[in-house]
Amino acid sequence: MPLEVNKHVQRIRRYQPFDVDTSEMIYELQADWTQSLFTVVTLTYLLNAIERPTTKTIVLTGDAGHGKTSLCASLLAELQVDAEPITPDVRKAVFRELSDAGDASRPIGWTRSRRPLYILKDLSELSLQAGARKLVDLLDPPDEGVAIICANEGQLRKCVAEDDNLDKDGTGRAKILVETLTAGIARGQVSDPGGAVTVINLNYQSVAADSPNGGLIPWVLKQWTTTQWSRWKPCETCDARNVCPILANHKQLNDPAQGPQRRAAIRDVFAAAERTGAVVTTRQALSVTSYMLTGGLSCEDVHAKYQWSHSNTLWQAPHLYHQALFGDRLTQQQRHLVPAFFALRKLDPGRVSRRQVDDRLDPDAAGDFPPADASSYLQKVRTSRDVQKQAEQLRGLYTFLRRADFFNSDDDKDRFARMGLQAGDDFVTVQDKEGDLADITVRDRFLKGLEAVQGIHRAGSNPDFLVLDPAFFAQRARAAVISRRVSSKGVEVVDQVTQWQKEGCTGSTPEMRNAVEWLNRAIYIRIPAVAPDQDAVSVEVDLLRFELLTRWAAGLRSEVQHEAEIRGLSGSLAELADSSNKDDEIQVLVGNVMRKLMIDVGDKIRSVRA
């Protein structure tokens, strides 16, 4: 049998930005129009939004790579075919239309209510002055039409600032776009009060959405590994099939017994990365998944290895999916091309040592492609250099085994801990609407962590929360002035959607929740207002910051290493400080002992235990 080159593998590799052939990375450069596209909920939202009589302008914003242009193309295709299937010919026609009329100079299509549709496919293609003028023009499209603007957030803000400069003939009208964007961040609403302007922030778009379909990642894995098995048929007749890590990755992810749990574990890793604050765009997700599945190899690379040695099974280990996912073999420069690798590497289960995991790992059960020859790390050591070499080999072996076991394990309750996040389960529990509302464990740990941020370390469970005077936030002295004591009873911990509902004083679900592929990435602790005319103080934390708070609450002290996080949290707590206290009594925390300082006659200061 000959050595086969699988065209499906070649197509998958085109999503990696490390080679010159990266045509599938950007919609406008697609080479294969027969490939299906993932239908995001944003497309359905757009189809409904353009039919509203009040809608005039829709802005799709966010980081580059979220698929703003492909969203516009999918919208045009849906309008053209209505209920019919979208064919490759329709996609090509849409691509030509976007190329010709994507500057919003003329209508590119018509809504179902026969309103002209204008699309500006990339605001970054215009100068700041031209972009500002275009934004103002599209706030009121001709012939009562609808305009869709694709703009990176930075370019959008610059163009709006340019229009806001009245000394340079600015109109000041475009600022409604940034105001709507800001309101979306604060309250989750994507439309202005009049409904004329809609701004969808795609940085809230998740590739591992909390939805029945699981988002983009499960869909891509299914498309590339489980559906249309004929795409992998050439590999079955290839001479190198027994030593090919690409085919091994396909088989492991397509395995009827363990394939589903492995794919679910991959989705969970991406979800955890997004919850730690990383923005993983569609482009990055496709790049990582492509690299993970191919191990960074091409068919020609595998053939060259096979021709060198037909039976060697010691070179494949780094290219298996559970190793390639963390980009060990990539250079720092290559990782910067796909920043999602940095977020994933922070959650590498191979670097987390847990006794209950390591005790059951068996080096002899490393699979068909072990990371090293067993005799190399079991041989006797004679010099310090041999010791270092053996330690490095054992470290690599256990990293390999931990990663493989993470994706093979059917215990999905232990995944956060194996990624080094002991507080991950509590973080997700906050978002569980059916959880026990009487469970105050997370709230108390959250408050104790916030006290630790200020340098307060009290033993036991306390019914109140102490806020230091802001002057003492950065001073880790033995004594500190207490500015306010807040009862824990009125404090609550909520998820992102609930926070938006409370900020907007409405019980309805914020529009952002249904406008994008949604995943709750932050939780908030809401501390009651210090005065009747003030709002509650909310402190936002992502999964990584919540993990830090949990460890600080347990006694970990690392002021220097996490100085930026401490400074940010302290700034939020400063709003709770009581600056109007004019009493002659001052509460002071000396060590862990509360004391009162009282000013007596003759300005004498007396100290008593509180």
Side-chain angles (χ1 to χ4, degrees):
M1 291 182 289
L3 293 172
E4 300 284 352
V5 175
N6 191 333
K7 292 183 179 180
H8 180 51
V9 174
Q10 290 180 321
R11 283 193 295 267
I12 293 174
R13 278 180 50 81
R14 288 201 289 263
Y15 287 95
Q16 300 173 31
F18 315 124
D19 300 314
V20 293
D21 186 14
T22 58
S23 59
E24 303 297 338
M25 286 285 292
I26 301 174
Y27 176 83
E28 295 88 334
L29 301 179
Q30 278 190 347
D32 185 3
W33 297 101
T34 63
Q35 293 196 74
S36 57
L37 297 177
F38 177 62
T39 304
V40 294
V41 298
T42 309
L43 177 60
T44 304
Y45 186 89
L46 284 176
L47 286 167
N48 293 329
I50 61 176
E51 301 300 334
R52 298 173 191 159
T54 57
T55 301
K56 291 185 177 181
T57 308
I58 299 174
V59 177
L60 300 175
T61 187
D63 294 348
H66 276 300
K68 297 183 283 290
T69 305
S70 63
L71 258 175
C72 292
S74 297
L75 177 70
L76 288 175
E78 289 286 345
L79 292 174
Q80 286 188 13
V81 303
D82 201 9
E84 299 295 326
I86 299 174
T87 64
D89 291 337
V90 171
R91 289 185 182 171
K92 290 180 181 179
V94 165
F95 167 70
R96 288 193 295 267
E97 290 168 357
L98 277 174
S99 299
D100 295 339
D103 58 355
S105 59
R106 61 179 175 84
I108 197 172
W110 302 86
T111 68
R112 287 165 182 162
S113 56
R114 302 309 297 168
R115 296 174 65 188
L117 182 64
Y118 300 83
I119 292 181
L120 180 62
K121 66 176 183 179
D122 192 355
L123 183 64
S124 300
E125 293 178 352
L126 304 177
S127 65
L128 293 182
Q129 295 79 10
R133 289 193 299 270
K134 181 64 74 172
L135 289 179
V136 174
D137 292 341
L138 295 180
L139 286 174
D140 191 12
D143 303 323
E144 298 183 351
V146 180
I148 298 179
I149 303 168
C150 300
N152 292 343
E153 184 177 337
Q155 183 72 4
L156 176 66
R157 291 183 181 275
K158 289 178 182 177
C159 290
V160 170
E162 184 71 20
D163 178 67
D164 207 31
N165 190 342
L166 302 181
D167 295 334
K168 294 184 178 180
D169 300 325
T171 66
R173 293 182 58 203
K175 64 182 178 183
I176 190 175
L177 301 176
V178 171
E179 290 172 352
T180 307
L181 173 64
T182 304
I185 296 173
R187 296 186 297 277
Q189 298 299 322
V190 300
S191 301
D192 73 317
V197 173
T198 296
V199 180
I200 302 176
N201 188 349
L202 292 178
N203 282 341
Y204 284 107
Q205 185 99 279
S206 172
V207 298
D210 186 13
S211 60
N213 64 14
L216 175 70
I217 293 299
W219 181 86
V220 170
L221 291 173
K222 185 176 180 180
Q223 289 290 316
W224 287 353
T225 63
T226 65
T227 61
Q228 298 186 15
W229 64 271
S230 59
R231 292 178 174 178
W232 293 93
K233 195 172 182 179
C235 295
E236 299 295 340
T237 59
C238 179
D239 283 350
R241 63 188 181 279
N242 293 329
V243 296
C244 179
I246 303 175
L247 181 60
N249 289 337
H250 160 64
K251 289 182 176 179
Q252 291 195 44
L253 294 174
N254 191 36
D255 182 73
Q258 291 186 294
Q261 71 190 38
R262 289 167 178 162
R263 298 194 299 270
I266 294 171
R267 181 259 169 198
D268 287 348
V269 173
F270 274 93
E274 290 185 321
R275 284 176 167 137
T276 58
V279 176
V280 182
T281 66
T282 300
R283 188 179 301 169
Q284 291 180 32
L286 291 172
S287 298
V288 173
T289 309
S290 169
Y291 183 81
M292 175 194 71
L293 187 56
T294 64
L297 298 172
S298 65
C299 291
E300 291 82 359
D301 294 332
V302 175
H303 297 166
K305 294 280 190 179
Y306 172 76
Q307 290 173 334
W308 181 261
S309 174
H310 290 3
S311 59
N312 187 357
T313 59
L314 296 178
W315 60 268
Q316 296 90 342
H319 305 287
L320 297 179
Y321 77 94
H322 45 75
Q323 308 299 311
L325 177 60
F326 302 99
D328 292 341
R329 295 176 60 84
L330 296 175
T331 65
Q332 198 79 345
Q333 183 178 6
Q334 288 174 321
R335 290 177 194 144
H336 277 291
L337 295 174
V338 187
F341 276 112
F342 291 107
L344 294 171
R345 288 174 66 81
K346 291 179 181 178
L347 306 175
D348 183 2
R351 300 184 180 184
V352 178
S353 176
R354 304 188 75 224
R355 183 71 177 267
Q356 58 268 46
V357 173
D358 291 354
D359 281 352
R360 71 167 182 258
L361 298 179
D362 183 3
D364 295 331
D368 296 333
F369 302 132
D373 186 358
S375 61
S376 64
Y377 55 79
L378 294 177
Q379 61 185 358
K380 294 182 180 179
V381 296
R382 294 179 175 83
T383 65
S384 59
R385 187 172 181 178
D386 291 340
V387 173
Q388 293 175 352
K389 182 179 178 180
Q390 187 184 67
E392 185 66 29
Q393 288 176 329
L394 287 173
R395 189 179 300 112
L397 172 66
Y398 272 88
T399 297
F400 177 93
L401 294 174
R402 289 167 184 163
R403 289 172 176 172
D405 184 73
F406 175 84
F407 292 101
N408 289 330
S409 174
D410 56 2
D411 182 11
D412 59 354
K413 302 296 183 183
D414 195 36
R415 284 178 182 165
F416 280 115
R418 296 193 62 174
M419 289 185 280
L421 300 169
Q422 302 293 336
D425 291 324
D426 288 337
F427 186 91
V428 176
T429 300
V430 174
Q431 304 162 22
D432 184 5
K433 299 301 181 183
E434 299 179 359
D436 184 4
L437 299 178
D439 187 0
I440 59 175
T441 306
V442 176
R443 183 205 66 185
D444 289 348
R445 192 181 303 130
F446 206 141
L447 290 175
K448 200 166 185 177
L450 289 177
E451 284 190 343
V453 167
Q454 305 171 80
I456 303 173
H457 298 275
R458 293 191 292 172
S461 178
N462 300 284
D464 58 356
F465 170 59
L466 301 182
V467 181
L468 295 186
D469 188 289
F472 291 84
F473 278 174
Q475 180 67 30
R476 298 296 187 264
R478 184 170 178 268
V481 175
I482 302 299
S483 176
R484 184 180 297 277
R485 299 178 71 169
V486 180
S487 173
S488 301
K489 187 176 181 180
V491 178
E492 58 181 342
V493 181
V494 299
D495 64 358
Q496 177 78 77
V497 174
T498 306
Q499 167 69 10
W500 279 340
Q501 289 174 329
K502 291 181 177 293
E503 288 294 313
C505 299
T506 175
S508 59
T509 302
E511 289 180 275
M512 189 70 75
R513 171 66 179 81
N514 300 319
V516 297
E517 294 287 327
W518 181 256
L519 178 72
N520 269 309
R521 309 186 197 192
I523 61 175
Y524 293 76
I525 188 164
R526 292 178 58 84
I527 303 174
V530 297
D533 59 339
Q534 295 180 342
D535 297 328
V537 175
S538 300
V539 180
E540 176 188 2
V541 294
D542 57 28
L543 178 53
L544 197 58
R545 186 169 282 189
F546 183 65
E547 179 73 20
L548 289 175
L549 283 174
T550 300
R551 298 194 182 196
W552 289 336
L556 175 69
R557 302 193 183 193
S558 53
E559 289 88 352
V560 176
Q561 183 178 0
H562 301 291
E563 183 179 356
E565 286 81 3
I566 292 175
R567 189 163 51 246
L569 291 167
S570 299
S572 300
L573 294 174
E575 299 180 41
L576 287 168
D578 184 5
S579 59
S580 61
N581 187 6
K582 298 180 181 179
D583 297 337
D584 290 338
E585 181 181 297
I586 301 173
Q587 289 188 326
V588 179
L589 187 66
V590 182
N592 289 325
V593 179
M594 292 287 297
R595 302 192 69 85
K596 290 181 182 179
L597 299 181
M598 294 175 289
I599 301 177
D600 204 344
V601 178
D603 292 337
K604 291 183 178 180
I605 298 177
R606 300 181 180 274
S607 172
V608 297
R609 188 159 185 157

